[in-house]
Amino acid sequence: GSDDIIAGNVSKCIVLPAGYCGQPKKGHLIFDACFESGNLGRVDHVTEFEYDLFIRPDTCNPRFRVWFNFTVENVKESQ
């Protein structure tokens, strides 16, 4: 669930729709937070235009999640 502890950052995580088989296509987003200050812990696909993003807590203050830093690749024009 969303209360699970998120231990690390996503690293070039390709998020595919449920049940999709095959190579990723344009529009299947690639999330990456594997760099200094990156803090994206998990990504869940909801719809073509909606994703649930789970931000890791601040290392020095685990009660707060007041910032986010990650990249997104492989977007298509209308997305």
Side-chain angles (χ1 to χ4, degrees), residues 5-75:
I5 295 176
I6 301 171
N9 291 328
V10 297
S11 179
K12 295 289 183 181
C13 175
I14 302 171
V15 183
L16 301 172
Y20 179 83
C21 295
Q23 294 292 323
K25 301 185 299 186
K26 195 73 165 171
H28 290 157
L29 300 184
I30 302 170
F31 292 85
D32 186 32
C34 195
F35 49 85
E36 186 175 347
S37 78
N39 68 338
L40 184 61
R42 191 175 97 214
V43 180
D44 293 344
H45 181 270
V46 178
T47 69
E48 180 182 2
F49 300 105
E50 184 179 352
Y51 296 81
D52 286 337
L53 306 177
F54 297 85
I55 305 301
R56 287 188 317 98
D58 191 327
T59 303
C60 296
N61 194 345
R63 291 181 41 206
F64 297 104
R65 291 171 175 88
V66 296
W67 56 274
F68 54 91
N69 192 5
F70 57 90
T71 64
V72 180
E73 302 174 37
N74 203 38
V75 297

